[in-house]
Amino acid sequence: MESATAVFAGTAFTLFGAALLAWTGARTIRRAPVAHGVSPAVSTALATVFGALFVLLGVWCLTRV
């Protein structure tokens, strides 16, 4: 039962992190703001860090299966 939960959480975290990284990359390439009202450098850096963090967390969950 615990492995099903780890697979679900790992998949959700990995997909969300990958989508966040892809979205941030697409916004950066088009020079569009990643977050409104925030410095472009700060918002891009934070979104990239959190996207990578979610991908790593998802991979970690999937290795616990």
Side-chain angles (χ1 to χ4, degrees):
M1 209 34 95
E2 290 178 9
S3 64
T5 305
V7 169
F8 176 76
T11 303
F13 282 133
T14 305
L15 287 175
F16 178 74
L20 182 60
L21 287 172
W23 181 81
T24 302
R27 300 291 287 181
T28 303
I29 289 171
R30 294 182 180 143
R31 299 204 183 259
V34 176
H36 294 287
V38 183
S39 167
V42 171
S43 62
T44 301
L46 282 176
T48 302
V49 166
F50 279 106
L53 182 92
F54 277 113
V55 169
L56 289 174
L57 183 62
V59 170
W60 180 78
C61 286
L62 290 173
T63 61
R64 298 293 173 194
V65 174

